[in-house]
Amino acid sequence: MKLNYREDSHLYGWSGSFGRNSIFTITIFSLGLSFYFQDHALGTDFADISATDHIGYMLRVTARIAFFLLLLAMIARPFRQLTGMGFELLRHRRYLGLAMSFVSTVHFFYVVAYLQISGEPLKMTTIIFGGFAFLLTWILAATSNDSSQRMLGVWWRRIHVFSSYYIWLIFMVTFFGTLRENSEPLYAGIVSTGLVAVSLRIAVHHSQRFKRTA
Ligand code: HEM
């Protein structure tokens, strides 16, 4: 299915801003709920939660929410092309990406707090690969607007595709590392979901290219 420009772009007007506001509201609400219920999640009274436990918990929460938003943004187009459904998802992809950047930035601030409190030295590989992922996240956010899209031309898509895959990879490596350590079904589920989402994206992309050249 060939998408026209209006389908792929975000629309303005009441319904466009309602979708955008809903995405940002739900994102902030999810962060707030996770914060509010951290005593249940950690199995302790609120007053007994140490700064280290709080930071570790919020690092996990922000990573999971950001990954979920990234996957939604990454499958929006292939899902639409494959099923003909998901018009609203595709239309609001930009805001999913922006919400992902916002939550990643919260992760970044918790990383800074974690480093200060734990006094743990950072490995050079973490600084380079993790730091580059944060940088790309912010580049994505800064260029997620029409004027940057027009100005960067073909480079806009290249930057966005490369950045999404790179950030996805850092998430997957981290989740997979935890899965190897603890073999928890939750991590198996997260890693499998990440793999399915990207396989779907690659498969649909190749089938579209095949159709165009056939
Ligand atoms: C310098 C950069 C970073 C540092 C020092 C860092 C540090 C941390 C720490 C301390 C945790 C908590 C581990 C735990 O208590 O279980 C964590 C979790 C996590 N971080 Fe980061 N982080 C960095 C950047 C990133 C980036 C750029 C991404 C993704 C693009 C990312 C994805 C994750 C994931 C997936 C988890 C695991 C969440 C879970 O266990 O459910 N981190 N990070």
PDB file of all heavy atoms in Angstrom, residues 155-172:
ATOM      1  N   TRP A 155      18.572  13.512   4.171  1.00  0.00           N
ATOM      2  CA  TRP A 155      19.337  13.199   5.380  1.00  0.00           C
ATOM      3  C   TRP A 155      18.441  13.048   6.595  1.00  0.00           C
ATOM      4  O   TRP A 155      18.784  12.386   7.551  1.00  0.00           O
ATOM      5  CB  TRP A 155      20.415  14.265   5.623  1.00  0.00           C
ATOM      6  CG  TRP A 155      21.592  13.957   4.769  1.00  0.00           C
ATOM      7  CD1 TRP A 155      21.892  14.510   3.555  1.00  0.00           C
ATOM      8  CD2 TRP A 155      22.581  12.960   5.010  1.00  0.00           C
ATOM      9  NE1 TRP A 155      23.016  13.923   3.033  1.00  0.00           N
ATOM     10  CE2 TRP A 155      23.460  12.969   3.912  1.00  0.00           C
ATOM     11  CE3 TRP A 155      22.809  12.056   6.045  1.00  0.00           C
ATOM     12  CZ2 TRP A 155      24.550  12.108   3.822  1.00  0.00           C
ATOM     13  CZ3 TRP A 155      23.903  11.208   5.967  1.00  0.00           C
ATOM     14  CH2 TRP A 155      24.759  11.235   4.865  1.00  0.00           C
ATOM     15  N   TRP A 156      17.282  13.684   6.547  1.00  0.00           N
ATOM     16  CA  TRP A 156      16.358  13.600   7.681  1.00  0.00           C
ATOM     17  C   TRP A 156      15.970  12.138   7.934  1.00  0.00           C
ATOM     18  O   TRP A 156      16.082  11.632   9.043  1.00  0.00           O
ATOM     19  CB  TRP A 156      15.103  14.440   7.409  1.00  0.00           C
ATOM     20  CG  TRP A 156      14.215  14.540   8.614  1.00  0.00           C
ATOM     21  CD1 TRP A 156      14.266  15.486   9.591  1.00  0.00           C
ATOM     22  CD2 TRP A 156      13.160  13.638   8.979  1.00  0.00           C
ATOM     23  NE1 TRP A 156      13.312  15.232  10.545  1.00  0.00           N
ATOM     24  CE2 TRP A 156      12.622  14.105  10.199  1.00  0.00           C
ATOM     25  CE3 TRP A 156      12.625  12.491   8.411  1.00  0.00           C
ATOM     26  CZ2 TRP A 156      11.568  13.472  10.855  1.00  0.00           C
ATOM     27  CZ3 TRP A 156      11.584  11.848   9.065  1.00  0.00           C
ATOM     28  CH2 TRP A 156      11.057  12.341  10.270  1.00  0.00           C
ATOM     29  N   ARG A 157      15.586  11.476   6.845  1.00  0.00           N
ATOM     30  CA  ARG A 157      15.179  10.076   6.991  1.00  0.00           C
ATOM     31  C   ARG A 157      16.360   9.199   7.419  1.00  0.00           C
ATOM     32  O   ARG A 157      16.229   8.341   8.282  1.00  0.00           O
ATOM     33  CB  ARG A 157      14.589   9.581   5.659  1.00  0.00           C
ATOM     34  CG  ARG A 157      13.866   8.281   5.801  1.00  0.00           C
ATOM     35  CD  ARG A 157      13.238   7.768   4.535  1.00  0.00           C
ATOM     36  NE  ARG A 157      13.387   6.316   4.475  1.00  0.00           N
ATOM     37  CZ  ARG A 157      12.792   5.461   5.305  1.00  0.00           C
ATOM     38  NH1 ARG A 157      12.010   5.899   6.257  1.00  0.00           N
ATOM     39  NH2 ARG A 157      12.990   4.165   5.201  1.00  0.00           N
ATOM     40  N   ARG A 158      17.518   9.465   6.816  1.00  0.00           N
ATOM     41  CA  ARG A 158      18.707   8.663   7.164  1.00  0.00           C
ATOM     42  C   ARG A 158      19.032   8.804   8.647  1.00  0.00           C
ATOM     43  O   ARG A 158      19.283   7.819   9.332  1.00  0.00           O
ATOM     44  CB  ARG A 158      19.914   9.129   6.335  1.00  0.00           C
ATOM     45  CG  ARG A 158      19.819   8.671   4.906  1.00  0.00           C
ATOM     46  CD  ARG A 158      20.982   9.149   4.090  1.00  0.00           C
ATOM     47  NE  ARG A 158      20.735   8.893   2.683  1.00  0.00           N
ATOM     48  CZ  ARG A 158      21.315   9.519   1.688  1.00  0.00           C
ATOM     49  NH1 ARG A 158      22.192  10.481   1.925  1.00  0.00           N
ATOM     50  NH2 ARG A 158      21.029   9.221   0.450  1.00  0.00           N
ATOM     51  N   ILE A 159      19.036  10.041   9.131  1.00  0.00           N
ATOM     52  CA  ILE A 159      19.349  10.287  10.549  1.00  0.00           C
ATOM     53  C   ILE A 159      18.328   9.590  11.443  1.00  0.00           C
ATOM     54  O   ILE A 159      18.671   8.926  12.421  1.00  0.00           O
ATOM     55  CB  ILE A 159      19.377  11.812  10.846  1.00  0.00           C
ATOM     56  CG1 ILE A 159      20.560  12.461  10.136  1.00  0.00           C
ATOM     57  CG2 ILE A 159      19.429  12.089  12.344  1.00  0.00           C
ATOM     58  CD1 ILE A 159      20.515  13.979  10.128  1.00  0.00           C
ATOM     59  N   HIS A 160      17.050   9.712  11.077  1.00  0.00           N
ATOM     60  CA  HIS A 160      16.001   9.150  11.934  1.00  0.00           C
ATOM     61  C   HIS A 160      16.009   7.627  11.925  1.00  0.00           C
ATOM     62  O   HIS A 160      15.815   6.998  12.970  1.00  0.00           O
ATOM     63  CB  HIS A 160      14.633   9.734  11.549  1.00  0.00           C
ATOM     64  CG  HIS A 160      14.413  11.078  12.163  1.00  0.00           C
ATOM     65  ND1 HIS A 160      13.439  11.335  13.097  1.00  0.00           N
ATOM     66  CD2 HIS A 160      15.095  12.240  12.008  1.00  0.00           C
ATOM     67  CE1 HIS A 160      13.525  12.599  13.478  1.00  0.00           C
ATOM     68  NE2 HIS A 160      14.515  13.175  12.826  1.00  0.00           N
ATOM     69  N   VAL A 161      16.251   7.045  10.743  1.00  0.00           N
ATOM     70  CA  VAL A 161      16.276   5.570  10.675  1.00  0.00           C
ATOM     71  C   VAL A 161      17.481   5.047  11.457  1.00  0.00           C
ATOM     72  O   VAL A 161      17.361   4.156  12.304  1.00  0.00           O
ATOM     73  CB  VAL A 161      16.301   5.084   9.203  1.00  0.00           C
ATOM     74  CG1 VAL A 161      16.586   3.588   9.133  1.00  0.00           C
ATOM     75  CG2 VAL A 161      14.973   5.397   8.518  1.00  0.00           C
ATOM     76  N   PHE A 162      18.663   5.640  11.184  1.00  0.00           N
ATOM     77  CA  PHE A 162      19.874   5.182  11.876  1.00  0.00           C
ATOM     78  C   PHE A 162      19.714   5.321  13.402  1.00  0.00           C
ATOM     79  O   PHE A 162      20.006   4.393  14.160  1.00  0.00           O
ATOM     80  CB  PHE A 162      21.098   5.981  11.394  1.00  0.00           C
ATOM     81  CG  PHE A 162      22.327   5.700  12.214  1.00  0.00           C
ATOM     82  CD1 PHE A 162      23.056   4.521  12.023  1.00  0.00           C
ATOM     83  CD2 PHE A 162      22.739   6.581  13.208  1.00  0.00           C
ATOM     84  CE1 PHE A 162      24.170   4.241  12.812  1.00  0.00           C
ATOM     85  CE2 PHE A 162      23.856   6.305  13.997  1.00  0.00           C
ATOM     86  CZ  PHE A 162      24.574   5.136  13.795  1.00  0.00           C
ATOM     87  N   SER A 163      19.240   6.489  13.835  1.00  0.00           N
ATOM     88  CA  SER A 163      19.121   6.743  15.281  1.00  0.00           C
ATOM     89  C   SER A 163      18.164   5.754  15.939  1.00  0.00           C
ATOM     90  O   SER A 163      18.452   5.224  17.017  1.00  0.00           O
ATOM     91  CB  SER A 163      18.626   8.163  15.546  1.00  0.00           C
ATOM     92  OG  SER A 163      19.465   9.076  14.918  1.00  0.00           O
ATOM     93  N   SER A 164      17.017   5.499  15.293  1.00  0.00           N
ATOM     94  CA  SER A 164      16.043   4.578  15.890  1.00  0.00           C
ATOM     95  C   SER A 164      16.667   3.206  16.084  1.00  0.00           C
ATOM     96  O   SER A 164      16.538   2.589  17.146  1.00  0.00           O
ATOM     97  CB  SER A 164      14.806   4.395  15.012  1.00  0.00           C
ATOM     98  OG  SER A 164      14.389   5.597  14.497  1.00  0.00           O
ATOM     99  N   TYR A 165      17.360   2.717  15.033  1.00  0.00           N
ATOM    100  CA  TYR A 165      17.952   1.384  15.144  1.00  0.00           C
ATOM    101  C   TYR A 165      19.062   1.363  16.185  1.00  0.00           C
ATOM    102  O   TYR A 165      19.216   0.391  16.913  1.00  0.00           O
ATOM    103  CB  TYR A 165      18.496   0.902  13.785  1.00  0.00           C
ATOM    104  CG  TYR A 165      17.410   0.302  12.925  1.00  0.00           C
ATOM    105  CD1 TYR A 165      16.916   0.958  11.807  1.00  0.00           C
ATOM    106  CD2 TYR A 165      16.870  -0.947  13.241  1.00  0.00           C
ATOM    107  CE1 TYR A 165      15.911   0.412  11.028  1.00  0.00           C
ATOM    108  CE2 TYR A 165      15.854  -1.504  12.462  1.00  0.00           C
ATOM    109  CZ  TYR A 165      15.384  -0.813  11.356  1.00  0.00           C
ATOM    110  OH  TYR A 165      14.392  -1.363  10.596  1.00  0.00           O
ATOM    111  N   TYR A 166      19.847   2.426  16.244  1.00  0.00           N
ATOM    112  CA  TYR A 166      20.949   2.456  17.216  1.00  0.00           C
ATOM    113  C   TYR A 166      20.382   2.459  18.644  1.00  0.00           C
ATOM    114  O   TYR A 166      20.831   1.687  19.502  1.00  0.00           O
ATOM    115  CB  TYR A 166      21.830   3.698  16.983  1.00  0.00           C
ATOM    116  CG  TYR A 166      22.988   3.744  17.958  1.00  0.00           C
ATOM    117  CD1 TYR A 166      24.173   3.051  17.692  1.00  0.00           C
ATOM    118  CD2 TYR A 166      22.873   4.423  19.170  1.00  0.00           C
ATOM    119  CE1 TYR A 166      25.218   3.056  18.611  1.00  0.00           C
ATOM    120  CE2 TYR A 166      23.917   4.429  20.091  1.00  0.00           C
ATOM    121  CZ  TYR A 166      25.084   3.752  19.802  1.00  0.00           C
ATOM    122  OH  TYR A 166      26.109   3.747  20.718  1.00  0.00           O
ATOM    123  N   ILE A 167      19.393   3.300  18.897  1.00  0.00           N
ATOM    124  CA  ILE A 167      18.808   3.376  20.247  1.00  0.00           C
ATOM    125  C   ILE A 167      18.156   2.033  20.593  1.00  0.00           C
ATOM    126  O   ILE A 167      18.284   1.522  21.698  1.00  0.00           O
ATOM    127  CB  ILE A 167      17.807   4.551  20.334  1.00  0.00           C
ATOM    128  CG1 ILE A 167      18.539   5.880  20.122  1.00  0.00           C
ATOM    129  CG2 ILE A 167      17.088   4.574  21.676  1.00  0.00           C
ATOM    130  CD1 ILE A 167      17.636   7.072  19.842  1.00  0.00           C
ATOM    131  N   TRP A 168      17.461   1.458  19.601  1.00  0.00           N
ATOM    132  CA  TRP A 168      16.854   0.129  19.792  1.00  0.00           C
ATOM    133  C   TRP A 168      17.927  -0.886  20.211  1.00  0.00           C
ATOM    134  O   TRP A 168      17.730  -1.676  21.130  1.00  0.00           O
ATOM    135  CB  TRP A 168      16.178  -0.299  18.483  1.00  0.00           C
ATOM    136  CG  TRP A 168      15.643  -1.697  18.499  1.00  0.00           C
ATOM    137  CD1 TRP A 168      14.429  -2.122  18.952  1.00  0.00           C
ATOM    138  CD2 TRP A 168      16.322  -2.892  18.044  1.00  0.00           C
ATOM    139  NE1 TRP A 168      14.311  -3.480  18.810  1.00  0.00           N
ATOM    140  CE2 TRP A 168      15.454  -3.976  18.256  1.00  0.00           C
ATOM    141  CE3 TRP A 168      17.565  -3.133  17.467  1.00  0.00           C
ATOM    142  CZ2 TRP A 168      15.785  -5.292  17.920  1.00  0.00           C
ATOM    143  CZ3 TRP A 168      17.910  -4.446  17.137  1.00  0.00           C
ATOM    144  CH2 TRP A 168      17.025  -5.502  17.356  1.00  0.00           C
ATOM    145  N   LEU A 169      19.074  -0.834  19.534  1.00  0.00           N
ATOM    146  CA  LEU A 169      20.146  -1.789  19.815  1.00  0.00           C
ATOM    147  C   LEU A 169      20.672  -1.634  21.238  1.00  0.00           C
ATOM    148  O   LEU A 169      20.889  -2.638  21.944  1.00  0.00           O
ATOM    149  CB  LEU A 169      21.291  -1.570  18.807  1.00  0.00           C
ATOM    150  CG  LEU A 169      22.402  -2.607  18.837  1.00  0.00           C
ATOM    151  CD1 LEU A 169      21.888  -3.968  18.369  1.00  0.00           C
ATOM    152  CD2 LEU A 169      23.563  -2.169  17.949  1.00  0.00           C
ATOM    153  N   ILE A 170      20.848  -0.403  21.689  1.00  0.00           N
ATOM    154  CA  ILE A 170      21.354  -0.184  23.056  1.00  0.00           C
ATOM    155  C   ILE A 170      20.338  -0.736  24.070  1.00  0.00           C
ATOM    156  O   ILE A 170      20.709  -1.395  25.042  1.00  0.00           O
ATOM    157  CB  ILE A 170      21.620   1.322  23.314  1.00  0.00           C
ATOM    158  CG1 ILE A 170      22.682   1.849  22.345  1.00  0.00           C
ATOM    159  CG2 ILE A 170      22.061   1.560  24.765  1.00  0.00           C
ATOM    160  CD1 ILE A 170      24.068   1.260  22.517  1.00  0.00           C
ATOM    161  N   PHE A 171      19.059  -0.493  23.810  1.00  0.00           N
ATOM    162  CA  PHE A 171      18.024  -1.062  24.687  1.00  0.00           C
ATOM    163  C   PHE A 171      18.126  -2.579  24.717  1.00  0.00           C
ATOM    164  O   PHE A 171      18.126  -3.202  25.780  1.00  0.00           O
ATOM    165  CB  PHE A 171      16.626  -0.684  24.180  1.00  0.00           C
ATOM    166  CG  PHE A 171      16.119   0.624  24.705  1.00  0.00           C
ATOM    167  CD1 PHE A 171      15.805   1.668  23.855  1.00  0.00           C
ATOM    168  CD2 PHE A 171      15.936   0.818  26.070  1.00  0.00           C
ATOM    169  CE1 PHE A 171      15.332   2.872  24.336  1.00  0.00           C
ATOM    170  CE2 PHE A 171      15.464   2.025  26.561  1.00  0.00           C
ATOM    171  CZ  PHE A 171      15.157   3.048  25.693  1.00  0.00           C
ATOM    172  N   MET A 172      18.206  -3.164  23.522  1.00  0.00           N
ATOM    173  CA  MET A 172      18.190  -4.627  23.429  1.00  0.00           C
ATOM    174  C   MET A 172      19.402  -5.238  24.117  1.00  0.00           C
ATOM    175  O   MET A 172      19.280  -6.244  24.820  1.00  0.00           O
ATOM    176  CB  MET A 172      18.155  -5.056  21.950  1.00  0.00           C
ATOM    177  CG  MET A 172      16.849  -4.772  21.254  1.00  0.00           C
ATOM    178  SD  MET A 172      15.472  -5.690  21.981  1.00  0.00           S
ATOM    179  CE  MET A 172      15.736  -7.302  21.272  1.00  0.00           C
TER     180      MET A 172
END
